[in-house]
């Protein structure tokens, strides 16, 4: 009985149909980028200080420039380490007194500024930005020399405002963690949906929910509703990406499967590059969110453009439908199915007993336990460093859009590095080297002065190149280290730690940066270098047949005993010769 791969070899493993489907589905991979790392632009926190109506009136009366206004009225100036005071506190004085001097207004209260009491930003904040983010939700007011973005506290008259700074700055971290919680919880549900109802059904349903929740997030009237729609987007969006990935890899022949999978991930980098340009043109977060979301409704046209996976249909014993789709593929490729094709199967029939996977199988034997724990950590560390470096560059950027663009471009060579090294050098050493680069460069960044910005960006891009290679390569390595009957479960369980890393990464970056702006780099370096050592404990899988049983896994990496022959040399007795 011919298998599906046998038929694909006859009608085309990567011809017109597969190339067309690949281009269609790569658009979805690119559209996933704003969901995964859109926090860089949606949640950026510009420099800010307390708004004070009395100061605004005094500044207008005295004709101050913005710099003069800040110099005369803002606490914490001249102390670079005291960012919190400068951004979250104001002098508790009455600025409406007519006797205040325009040259040194605080001299009317005391000769020493440090003795003046401070209070919180009771009237809101002024943000130094030409656009808006979820942090700076508010309105503009005009300074005598500048247009400034003003965000005021919530009142019945003004409605709810976000103001995610100072005491509420942790809510930005929660915004990004929320989508990763959705990834974590939704992976099981969408995975089950794809296996139970089909890849195409799962793809279309998750696309619709992702698009709808993205639009609702853009028009959210308050933080709570925005968080709910952000979570909902995470719950299904990773499922749509995974369904598209599975579809395209199941359409192509075995010889092209690995390359197509890597290039599909590379299209995500295209989305990153496009995101930086769109965010530059559209600096207001609500319009930006709508711009990157509304086009995704067109992906519902996949209903007519992309068929169901014939492999899934065969697994569900729907052979007639599978053969019909194979005829469609053959027609698109200008080929014909074999005339004697009556039946089709996933693989050659044999009498091998079908094994049922269980969670306990991942920890049943010493090698399985070792592989599971190491792979979990590599997924976790890769996610922390990947998302962490992106958010850290955004939080410390001099030019947010250019720095993001530069770091996004390095994802392209990462894909080509994998394609050209994985079958020549192997898996283990490139994976370990990539982890090492990602970690050690973070360590070097700690010692680079802040004023050498070009060098900081270059090194950060190098670190991101390393960790991007890790993220793309671990998918392949993970699958090769588990036996067939538990392979999907093993990948699902281990990769779930990627989402756990994404949940804590925003808190690592934004909270530790407030303590010391280079503190996250220390943690990134430790995590990356530890992952380097753990990768070296895994066996090399280059040129190895995929393991079918747990016993095969236990024998991975073990050298076969040499066949030694013992020769017994005897010497004929001279007496026998006589």
């Amino acid at each position: 009985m011919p298998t599906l791969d046998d038929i694909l070899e006859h009608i085309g493993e990567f011809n017109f149909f597969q190339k067309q489907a690949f281009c269609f589905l790569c658009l979805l991979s690119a559209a996933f980028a704003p969901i995964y790392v859109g926090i860089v632009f949606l949640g950026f926190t510009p420099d800010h200080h307390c708004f004070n109506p009395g100061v605004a009136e005094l500044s207008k009366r005295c004709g101050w420039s913005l710099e003069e206004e800040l110099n005369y009225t803002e606490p914490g100036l001249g102390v670079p380490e005291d960012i919190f005071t400068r951004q979250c506190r104001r002098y508790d004085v009455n600025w409406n007194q007519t006797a205040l001097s325009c040259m040194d207004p605080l001299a009317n209260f005391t000769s020493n500024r440090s003795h003046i009491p401070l209070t919180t930003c009771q009237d809101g904040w002024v943000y130094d930005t030409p656009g808006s983010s979820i942090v700076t939700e508010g309105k503009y007011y005009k300074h005598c020399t500048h247009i400034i973005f003003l965000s005021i506290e919530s009142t019945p008259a003004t409605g709810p405002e976000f103001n995610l700074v100072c005491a509420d700055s942790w809510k930005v971290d929660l915004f990004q963690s929320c989508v990763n919680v959705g990834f974590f919880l939704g992976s099981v549900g969408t995975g089950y949906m794809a296996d139970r109802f089909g890849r195409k059904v799962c793809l279309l349903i998750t696309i619709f929910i992702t698009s709808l929740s993205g639009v609702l997030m853009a028009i959210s009237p308050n933080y709570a509703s925005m968080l709910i729609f952000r979570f909902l987007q995470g719950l299904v969006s990773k499922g749509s990406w995974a369904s598209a990935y599975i579809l395209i890899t199941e359409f192509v022949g075995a010889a092209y499967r690995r390359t197509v999978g890597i290039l599909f991930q590379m299209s995500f980098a295209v989305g990153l590059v496009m995101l930086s340009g769109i965010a530059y043109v559209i600096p207001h977060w609500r319009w930006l969110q709508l711009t990157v979301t509304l086009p995704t409704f067109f992906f519902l046209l996949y209903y007519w453009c992309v068929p169901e996976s014939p492999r899934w249909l065969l697994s569900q014993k729907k052979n007639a439908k599978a053969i019909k789709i194979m005829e469609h593929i053959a027609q698109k490729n200008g080929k014909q199915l074999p005339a004697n094709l009556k039946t089709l199967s996933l693989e050659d029939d044999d009498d091998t007993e079908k094994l049922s996977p269980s969670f306990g199988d991942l920890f049943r034997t010493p090698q399985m336990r070792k592989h599971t724990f190491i792979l979990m950590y590599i997924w976790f560390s890769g996610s922390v460093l990947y998302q962490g470096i992106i958010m850290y560059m955004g939080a410390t950027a001099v030019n947010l859009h250019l720095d993001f663009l530069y770091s996004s471009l390095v994802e392209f060579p990462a894909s080509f590095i994998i394609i050209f090294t994985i079958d020549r050098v192997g898996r283990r050493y490139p994976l370990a080297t990539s982890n090492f680069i990602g970690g050690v460069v973070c360590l070097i960044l700690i010692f680079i002065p802040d004023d050498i910005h070009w060098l900081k960006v270059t090194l950060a891009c190098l670190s991101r190149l390393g960790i991007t290679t890790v993220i793309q390569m671990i998918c392949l390595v993970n699958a090769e280290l588990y036996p067939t009957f538990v392979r999907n479960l093993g990948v699902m369980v281990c990769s779930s730690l990627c989402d756990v890393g994404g949940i804590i990464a925003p808190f690592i970056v934004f909270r530790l940066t407030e303590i010391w702006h280079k503190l996250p780099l220390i943690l990134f370096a430790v995590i990356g270098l530890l992952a380097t050592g753990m990768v070296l404990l895994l066996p090399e899988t280059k040129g190895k047949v995929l393991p079918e049983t747990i016993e095969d896994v236990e024998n991975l990496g073990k050298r076969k005993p040499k066949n030694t022959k013992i020769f017994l040399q005897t010497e004929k007795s001279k007496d026998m010769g006589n």
Side-chain angles (χ1 to χ4, degrees):
M1 182 184 298
T3 66
L4 191 63
D5 286 328
D6 294 335
I7 303 303
L8 284 174
E9 288 180 5
H10 183 80
I11 65 174
E13 293 184 280
F14 192 63
N15 283 14
F16 178 78
F17 169 81
Q18 288 92 344
K19 292 175 182 178
Q20 183 185 63
F22 175 74
C23 292
F24 285 151
L25 295 174
C26 278
L27 295 175
L28 186 144
S29 181
F32 183 59
I35 300 173
Y36 197 66
V37 295
I39 182 66
V40 174
F41 301 108
L42 297 177
F44 79 95
T45 303
D47 195 19
H48 54 277
H49 62 275
C50 295
F51 173 70
N52 192 315
V55 169
E57 290 297 325
L58 181 62
S59 177
K60 184 177 180 180
R61 177 170 64 86
C62 294
W64 289 336
S65 65
L66 179 60
E67 290 74 19
E68 289 173 328
E69 177 184 316
L70 298 178
N71 185 50
Y72 291 144
T73 64
E74 184 178 315
L77 290 178
V79 186
E81 297 81 9
D82 197 8
I83 298 177
F84 178 80
T85 299
R86 188 168 69 251
Q87 295 183 340
C88 303
R89 293 291 183 265
R90 72 181 193 184
Y91 289 119
D92 190 12
V93 297
N94 182 11
W95 294 100
N96 294 317
Q97 299 179 26
T98 57
L100 294 181
S101 167
C102 289
M103 298 304 297
D104 188 7
L106 290 175
N108 292 61
F109 303 102
T110 179
S111 58
N112 190 340
R113 286 192 176 193
S114 62
H115 295 162
I116 302 177
L118 302 177
T119 186
T120 58
C121 300
Q122 301 170 6
D123 297 298
W125 290 264
V126 176
Y127 297 98
D128 182 16
T129 175
S132 70
S133 71
I134 62 171
V135 174
T136 64
E137 185 78 356
K139 61 181 181 180
Y140 289 101
Y141 86 93
K142 187 168 184 177
H143 185 272
C144 57
T145 59
H146 291 76
I147 300 292
I148 302 175
F149 196 85
L150 167 65
S151 187
I152 58 180
E153 293 286 2
S154 301
T155 66
T158 62
E161 307 294 347
F162 296 164
N163 287 328
L164 307 183
V165 293
C166 299
D168 288 332
S169 59
W170 61 272
K171 292 182 179 180
V172 180
D173 313 2
L174 183 61
F175 176 78
Q176 178 63 10
S177 295
C178 200
V179 74
N180 282 281
V181 172
F183 292 158
F184 180 75
L185 297 178
S187 59
V188 176
T190 54
Y192 173 80
M193 185 191 303
D195 288 338
R196 177 68 178 84
F197 302 105
R199 281 68 161 118
K200 183 175 179 180
V201 171
C202 179
L203 179 67
L204 294 174
I205 291 176
T206 52
I207 285 174
F208 177 73
I209 298 176
T210 299
S211 302
L212 181 61
S213 57
V215 171
L216 293 175
M217 192 185 86
I219 60 176
S220 299
N222 52 54
Y223 177 78
S225 60
M226 180 182 67
L227 209 61
I228 292 172
F229 296 129
R230 179 69 166 169
F231 169 76
L232 184 60
Q233 207 174 31
L235 202 62
V236 294
S237 58
K238 192 174 182 181
S240 64
W241 186 92
S243 296
Y245 179 88
I246 293 170
L247 264 176
I248 191 57
T249 54
E250 290 183 342
F251 281 144
V252 302
Y256 293 89
R257 203 165 295 146
R258 184 183 304 159
T259 302
V260 164
I262 294 172
L263 293 178
F264 180 81
Q265 295 182 68
M266 190 171 70
S267 63
F268 176 84
V270 176
L272 295 175
V273 173
M274 294 177 62
L275 176 62
S276 62
I278 296 171
Y280 178 78
V281 175
I282 306 174
H284 302 284
W285 81 269
R286 292 188 186 273
W287 289 109
L288 173 62
Q289 176 65 19
L290 285 173
T291 302
V292 299
T293 300
L294 289 175
T296 61
F297 281 102
F298 286 105
F299 295 150
L300 294 174
L301 296 175
Y302 288 164
Y303 178 84
W304 293 276
C305 302
V306 180
E308 181 57 88
S309 165
R311 295 180 188 273
W312 178 81
L313 291 170
L314 288 174
S315 71
Q316 302 299 306
K317 309 300 181 186
K318 299 179 179 180
N319 292 29
K321 291 184 178 180
I323 293 175
K324 186 176 180 180
I325 289 177
M326 294 304 292
E327 290 175 345
H328 172 73
I329 295 175
Q331 182 184 6
K332 284 283 189 178
N333 290 343
K335 306 282 185 177
Q336 288 186 346
L337 286 176
N340 60 348
L341 177 63
K342 300 295 182 184
T343 57
L344 192 63
S345 68
L346 278 175
E347 55 188 16
D348 293 329
D349 292 331
D350 54 40
D351 297 326
T352 305
E353 179 185 358
K354 299 300 181 181
L355 299 174
S356 299
S358 70
F359 183 77
D361 291 328
L362 303 179
F363 305 91
R364 193 172 306 282
T365 60
Q367 290 300 315
M368 289 287 286
R369 280 195 297 272
K370 185 178 80 170
H371 293 175
T372 299
F373 285 126
I374 292 177
L375 290 169
M376 280 180 168
Y377 180 78
I378 296 173
W379 275 106
F380 170 81
S381 62
S383 176
V384 170
L385 264 70
Y386 181 80
Q387 294 196 46
I389 290 171
I390 290 176
M391 287 184 284
Y392 181 80
M393 290 188 69
T396 60
V398 172
N399 188 315
L400 179 62
H401 301 88
L402 277 180
D403 290 355
F404 185 87
L405 174 63
Y406 295 149
S407 64
S408 298
L409 290 174
V410 302
E411 298 212 3
F412 293 99
S415 299
F416 291 114
I417 287 173
I418 296 173
I419 292 174
F420 289 111
T421 64
I422 200 166
D423 288 326
R424 293 174 174 83
V425 181
R427 282 78 158 143
R428 184 171 58 173
Y429 290 119
L431 185 59
T433 302
S434 300
N435 269 298
F436 179 78
I437 292 174
V440 77
V441 171
C442 287
L443 191 63
I444 297 173
L445 275 169
I446 299 171
F447 304 99
I448 303 300
D450 293 334
D451 54 348
I452 313 180
H453 183 68
W454 67 269
L455 182 57
K456 289 179 60 180
V457 173
T458 302
L459 290 174
C461 289
L462 181 60
S463 179
R464 183 167 171 184
L465 171 64
I467 207 61
T468 299
T469 306
V470 171
I471 290 291
Q472 295 188 12
M473 189 179 292
I474 191 58
C475 301
L476 173 64
V477 174
N478 199 153
E480 292 180 336
L481 288 173
Y482 284 115
T484 300
F485 79 98
V486 78
R487 186 168 294 129
N488 286 342
L489 179 64
V491 173
M492 184 187 73
V493 171
C494 294
S495 64
S496 66
L497 270 292
C498 176
D499 300 323
V500 175
I503 292 171
I504 70 170
F507 292 94
I508 291 176
V509 173
F510 298 124
R511 294 311 104 217
L512 295 185
T513 302
E514 287 190 352
I515 300 173
W516 181 41
H517 69 285
K518 293 187 177 181
L519 190 55
L521 296 173
I522 298 177
L523 191 57
F524 293 158
V526 172
I527 291 174
L529 293 176
L530 183 58
T532 302
M534 298 186 86
V535 168
L536 295 175
L537 298 177
L538 294 173
E540 177 58 68
T541 57
K542 174 194 171 187
K544 302 288 179 67
V545 177
L546 287 176
E548 296 292 339
T549 65
I550 290 180
E551 184 180 358
D552 293 340
V553 174
E554 292 300 302
N555 293 326
L556 274 177
K558 292 183 179 180
R559 293 182 178 178
K560 294 182 179 180
K562 294 182 179 179
N563 294 326
T564 56
K565 295 182 180 180
I566 301 175
F567 296 92
L568 182 61
Q569 185 176 4
T570 60
E571 185 178 350
K572 292 184 178 181
S573 173
K574 293 181 180 180
D575 295 337
M576 292 178 64
N578 294 332

